[in-house]
Amino acid sequence: MKTIEKILYHIKCDGPVTAKVLADKFQLTTMGVRQHLQAMEEQGLVDSYDVKVKVGRPTRHWQLTSQGHHRFSDHHSELAVQTLDAVNDLFGQQGLQAIIAKREQQTLHHYQAAISDCHDLKSKLVTLTELRQHDGYMAELICDDNGFLLIENHCPICLAASHCPSLCQSELAIFQQLLGNSTLIQRQEHIITGQRRCAYRITSK
């Protein structure tokens, strides 16, 4: 992976970051990283903003632009949108909802088989995170004092979900059915509402 791609991937997953943090992570000089970032800025992939600090000059943070986010492909997204439109035209909303329900059922069965040997919430979530990572969601799991936070830094069906919000509702329904009614799942961040990632707070009731 080229340095620029590594930088893009890091910002995609971790959010706004300074040149020094990137330099330390990739064992480069801060000047070298700044040159990469400036080149990426000229390409429209990143932009920056300054954060005031108590002492000294403001700290410059770099973040992805919309164009930068689009560098991470949405699996055949245009085709997916066209297919949804075609189903709606041919079979109406009822047919479209039937397609979404069928996808939900298939995904749920696949996930259920994968977690069949998991006997506690944490092990289920670890496996679910691996499944979502494999499916292109750039998923990670954080355990903290408030339970678990399932983070998806990318959405490979983002364009289709923006076009058809029922897909997002279906994703949440899959998680709920998979983890059971004794688990509370709350979506705290949502890519299609303009936030940089989707994040789900998951706790036992």
Side-chain angles (χ1 to χ4, degrees), residues 11 15-19 22 33-34 36-42 44-51 58-66:
I11 299 176
V17 68
T18 64
L22 291 171
V33 168
R34 286 200 184 102
H36 282 302
L37 289 167
Q38 287 166 1
M40 293 159 65
E41 186 176 32
E42 291 174 2
L45 300 175
V46 298
D47 58 23
S48 61
Y49 61 92
D50 291 334
V51 176
T59 303
R60 177 151 296 183
H61 286 67
W62 296 84
Q63 62 186 357
L64 295 188
T65 61
S66 295

Side-chain angles (χ1 to χ4, degrees), residues 31 98 127:
M31 180 60 70
T127 301

